[in-house]
Amino acid sequence: MLNFVDAKIPEGPLAEKWTNHKFNLKLVNPANKRKYSIIVVGTGLAGASAAASLAELGYRVEAFSYHESPRRAHSIAAQGGINAAKNYPNDGDSIFRLFYDTIKGGDYRAREANVYRLAEVSNNIIDQCVAQGIPFAREYGGQLDNRSFGGAQVSRTFYAKGQTGQQLLLGAYSALIRQMHTGTVNFHPRQDMLDLVVVDGLARGIITRNLITGEITAHVADAVILATGGYANVFYLSTNAMASNATAAWRAHKKGAAFANPCYTQIHPTCIPVSSEHQSKLTLMSESLRNDGRVWVPGKAGDNRPPNDIPENERDYYLERMYPSFGNLVPRDVASRRAKEMCDKGHGVGATGLAVYLDFADTIKRNGKEWVADKYGNLFDMYRQITGENPYQAPMRIYPAPHYTMGGLWVDYNLMSSIPGLFVLGEANFSDHGANRLGASALMQGLADGYFIIPYTIGGYLAQKPHDSLDTSHDNFRSAENDVNDKLNQLLSIQGNEPVEELHKRLGRILWNDVGMSRNKTGLEKALSDIPALREEFWKQVRIPGKTDEYNPELEKASRVADFMELAELMAQDALNREESCGAHFREESQTEENEAKRDDENYTYSANWEFVEVGKPEVLHKEELVFENVTLSTRSYK
């Protein structure tokens, strides 16, 4: 029985829900855990921590990655830090304040119970990572240091220079490889999940393609975990690694897993601007830079003087002017829209006029170059290598770009999707960030899900399900294998004259223009016309050389772009349906006189959970009403 809206939130006071729920969950006897096998797809922070934790408990784990090593996961790109409510600076932080900031930052479109649990386990994550030897920055007395991030007025972000994600991933990787060496985790590198296998209504396995040999293989388990990241690469140009994709989640969606809030896609304000049509990805400059860098544009439109030639009284530090309480540390959606607004009014800088300045001159003058290099040195080096400009001597140029996706597969409180036995962790699910993610919360969610939530909740599921002897000879596995082979052969048989890359690029333009940072009814209706037309062209004109039974990166890309073509239509459908502005979803028809997002709490206080019907047909909407008992719905203000 598919479950599209029952979140299974425990009864009782908010602060006691998770503790009571853990006690009430059924347990698997330690000696019985080895009888159960669990598939984990994706070995970034969420997947690696989950696989290691479950194997440590005694389950047999099959871990799959399209990389040759878990160390290649995109989690390394989360540079700035990880949030936790330790309150080491003694500046007023608490679990409830982290919960409140996250709910508010998501513009009141997330589940209270899930967000509070995230805040509650955040402190455990720091203890776990310190025990693993993660080299968090420390202050003079030896205490772990903290810095500020957008959407908060306390310093709660733990960091390791500008490479926090990489260091945390190495910790999870170390835990995972330990289990690989003991034999409790069987690691499958260079495997692409192309389908989910459902038997008697339960998720029981996956179909994968070996990216080196092309071999199609079926894998069976008692439960499946997807930890496959987000779908921002649907825009073609994004901050995501080029291999990041939506295929695993989308194929699960087509097997019955509800897709929630696909229009909630975050545009990050601190990215290196587009420089040419030949670019294949964009580079994120960490939000942590907004701690000490000041964002500004020339006060006069069309002022093309070099930044150092523009005197202080002719600069517009617009975030500080418009949001005096938070200044440069407003949330990402707010900072992104304001940067676009400045550029649209002619105040943009650089050759394209689509950039604003991020300036460290004041901080360097106050604290010295060495102080800045100690905190942000690798980020400054990266900027210099990419742009050829020295950010110690002149301001960085930044502009918003697609980054994180708050939408994803719907999950209940146990992180189980609408398909029993299919669990979804990290960015692949929708559960914790509402309509906008605050900075430094992605790493927090990934590790919370993997280390501290799924070990309990998947046990509660397996304890109610007797182990059986199902194997891949079952008809459903054979049928799924045949479907995968048929689709790959269909792609190869087209023999058109358009490269995959070009078709993907055109899809990205449609989305950026009409389903991007700012949306309106006319543009969304246009997108819902343009996307199906482009998808039809894709299936008639795409050119894919080579064969299926060999290393074929073009076939790999085409398979993923085919899914993006379908997902893009759902994103536009969801954005058109939600006739309000909230967080990163900005409908131009719904804004205040000051051009801020204007929510419609009476009609849209729900997560939009979409049920797949058929390619090209509108999906069916199931609403999970969001109930707020511990915070008051109010207009989000950072002034």
Side-chain angles (χ1 to χ4, degrees), residues 193 226 228-229 246-254 257 259 409 428:
M193 175 185 156
L226 298 187
T228 49
T247 287
W250 188 252
R251 303 288 170 93
H253 174 55
K254 294 174 79 169
F259 209 112
L409 293 182

Side-chain angles (χ1 to χ4, degrees), residues 496-507:
N497 54 19
E498 293 193 51
V500 176
E501 202 86 357
E502 181 58 32
L503 290 160
H504 189 184
K505 193 179 293 187
R506 288 168 58 191
L507 176 66

Side-chain angles (χ1 to χ4, degrees), residues 43-117:
T43 51
L45 275 184
S49 59
S53 300
L54 294 169
E56 184 75 42
L57 287 171
Y59 295 107
R60 292 181 289 112
V61 177
E62 304 286 328
F64 294 80
S65 172
Y66 54 64
H67 294 302
E68 69 279 6
S69 167
R71 290 175 296 177
R72 291 280 310 281
H74 184 60
S75 300
I76 65 169
Q79 306 147 327
I82 177 170
N83 287 331
K86 288 282 194 182
N87 194 31
Y88 284 168
N90 199 29
D91 57 357
D93 203 8
S94 65
I95 289 172
F96 191 87
R97 187 177 294 278
L98 175 52
F99 154 74
Y100 175 77
D101 286 346
T102 305
I103 286 284
K104 177 184 174 183
D107 218 352
Y108 305 93
R109 291 294 178 262
R111 252 191 234 137
E112 280 192 341
N114 285 68
V115 176
Y116 190 88
R117 177 176 63 185

Side-chain angles (χ1 to χ4, degrees), residues 315-384:
R315 301 178 178 187
D316 181 7
Y317 294 91
Y318 59 90
L319 291 178
E320 298 172 31
R321 170 174 57 82
M322 300 170 75
Y323 306 98
S325 293
F326 283 75
N328 296 298
L329 289 175
V330 293
R332 292 172 176 178
D333 61 315
V334 176
S336 293
R337 285 197 296 273
R338 295 289 81 85
K340 180 180 185 296
E341 180 183 15
M342 291 297 115
C343 294
D344 289 347
K345 290 181 176 179
H347 296 268
V349 301
T352 63
L354 295 176
V356 299
Y357 289 127
L358 179 60
D359 196 339
F360 278 78
D362 284 356
T363 303
I364 291 173
K365 183 179 179 180
R366 182 174 62 250
N367 296 332
K369 179 180 174 182
E370 288 186 6
W371 185 91
V372 172
D374 187 55
K375 293 189 78 170
Y376 307 110
N378 62 313
L379 299 173
F380 275 56
D381 292 343
M382 183 170 70
Y383 183 88
R384 186 172 187 172

Side-chain angles (χ1 to χ4, degrees), residues 138-450:
R138 294 180 181 268
E139 51 189 25
Y140 181 77
Q143 185 96 306
L144 295 182
D145 197 13
N146 289 114
R147 59 187 177 200
S148 301
F149 256 65
Q153 292 180 301
V154 297
S155 293
R156 63 162 66 102
T157 304
F158 296 78
Y159 65 98
K161 267 197 171 181
Q163 50 185 257
T164 314
Q166 181 177 0
Q167 296 301 326
L168 293 175
L169 183 62
L170 288 173
Y173 169 73
S174 299
L176 175 60
I177 204 166
R178 175 180 178 273
Q179 299 300 327
M180 289 162 58
H181 286 162
T182 63
T184 49
V185 172
N186 185 22
F187 179 61
H188 303 263
R190 304 293 283 151
Q191 295 282 338
D192 204 9
M193 175 185 156
L194 296 183
D195 209 354
L196 176 75
V197 181
V198 179
V199 178
D200 296 329
L202 308 178
R204 293 305 308 270
I206 62 173
I207 307 297
T208 65
R209 178 176 181 269
N210 186 307
L211 295 176
I212 304 301
T213 67
E215 180 184 8
I216 306 296
T217 314
H219 307 270
V220 67
D222 296 290
V224 176
I225 294 173
L226 298 187
T228 49
Y231 50 90
N233 270 355
V234 69
F235 287 92
Y236 182 72
L237 285 178
S238 84
T239 66
N240 284 201
M242 289 186 66
S244 298
N245 64 89
T247 287
W250 188 252
R251 303 288 170 93
H253 174 55
K254 294 174 79 169
K255 283 295 180 72
F259 209 112
N261 304 330
C263 76
Y264 289 168
T265 55
Q266 183 173 78
I267 311 298
H268 197 295
T270 318
C271 301
I272 297 178
V274 176
S275 60
S276 82
E277 277 288 305
H278 302 293
Q279 271 184 269
S280 54
K281 80 173 300 294
L282 297 173
T283 302
L284 170 69
M285 299 306 296
S286 170
E287 181 177 324
S288 63
L289 294 171
R290 288 199 279 143
N291 268 284
D292 295 295
R294 301 179 70 191
V295 179
W296 64 275
V297 293
K300 181 180 178 182
D303 188 342
N304 295 320
R305 287 178 292 172
N308 293 337
D309 291 347
I310 301 176
E312 190 76 11
N313 63 352
E314 296 181 30
R315 301 178 178 187
D316 181 7
Y317 294 91
Y318 59 90
L319 291 178
E320 298 172 31
R321 170 174 57 82
M322 300 170 75
Y323 306 98
S325 293
F326 283 75
N328 296 298
L329 289 175
V330 293
R332 292 172 176 178
D333 61 315
V334 176
S336 293
R337 285 197 296 273
R338 295 289 81 85
K340 180 180 185 296
E341 180 183 15
M342 291 297 115
C343 294
D344 289 347
K345 290 181 176 179
H347 296 268
V349 301
T352 63
L354 295 176
V356 299
Y357 289 127
L358 179 60
D359 196 339
F360 278 78
D362 284 356
T363 303
I364 291 173
K365 183 179 179 180
R366 182 174 62 250
N367 296 332
K369 179 180 174 182
E370 288 186 6
W371 185 91
V372 172
D374 187 55
K375 293 189 78 170
Y376 307 110
N378 62 313
L379 299 173
F380 275 56
D381 292 343
M382 183 170 70
Y383 183 88
R384 186 172 187 172
Q385 289 170 1
I386 291 172
T387 66
E389 301 168 7
N390 187 341
Y392 292 105
Q393 297 176 357
M396 294 181 182
R397 288 175 293 105
I398 58 170
Y399 193 70
H403 175 58
Y404 188 92
T405 52
M406 287 72 64
L409 293 182
W410 179 89
V411 291
D412 63 17
Y413 188 73
N414 295 315
L415 303 185
M416 189 160 73
S417 74
S418 52
I419 301 175
L422 176 66
F423 295 81
V424 191
L425 313 186
E427 191 180 355
N429 78 31
F430 90 112
S431 67
D432 290 358
H433 306 296
N436 174 63
R437 178 176 68 78
L438 293 182
S441 289
L443 301 179
M444 178 174 60
Q445 186 205 352
L447 292 181
D449 288 356

